[in-house]
Structure formats: C-alpha cells, structure tokens
Amino acid sequence: MNNDFSILAQFLENLGPEVSGHSSATLTAEEMEQIQLFAAGKLDEAKRDEILPSILGNEKALHQLVEQLRSQG
C-alpha cells in the first residue's frame, strides 16, 4: 500500500501549475483529519473514493495530502 501512496505523491507533484486554477477553499478540521487518515492508509476503499474528488479539486487539499505523504516517508 505504501507504494500506492508513493506513486500518488509523485503524480501529484508532477501536476505542477495545472492545479493552480482549482479551488483553494480553506480546509475544515474534518477535511484535514480525512486527508491525514487517507495519507496514513486508514480509510477503506469506499471512503477513499468518496473524498478523492474533493482533494483533487482543491489546491490546499492537494498540498496537504502531499505534505502528509512526505512526512510519512
């Protein structure tokens, strides 16, 4: 599973400037917690599928996910 997150982190890092046009809405405490759980691999597949679109659509959420993944490396 760690390899999956490594691949995801590399993909997200390669997105570069394209994500700048996405939403940059402030994250709620609940969203931050969900991102932390996602990065730690503690969400089931259904929950990951549920939150991934909102993460990919929010620049701050993407940044938070990448930071969480880096801190676990």
Side-chain angles (χ1 to χ4, degrees):
M1 173 112 96
N2 284 338
N3 190 35
D4 291 339
F5 288 117
S6 172
I7 292 168
L8 177 61
Q10 288 176 339
F11 169 75
L12 294 174
E13 286 177 3
N14 290 332
L15 286 177
E18 287 88 10
V19 298
S20 63
H22 292 224
S23 170
S24 60
T26 302
L27 301 174
T28 65
E30 182 181 342
E31 290 169 325
M32 293 286 287
E33 180 182 358
Q34 292 298 305
I35 291 170
Q36 290 171 349
L37 292 172
F38 183 93
K42 295 182 179 180
L43 296 177
D44 62 32
E45 185 176 356
K47 190 63 177 173
R48 287 192 312 264
D49 289 346
E50 179 185 325
I51 70 166
L52 190 56
S54 63
I55 292 173
L56 294 175
N58 184 318
E59 183 178 356
K60 290 181 181 177
L62 277 173
H63 178 74
Q64 183 64 33
L65 177 58
V66 170
E67 290 302 313
Q68 289 294 319
L69 292 170
R70 282 184 181 157
S71 71
Q72 294 177 15

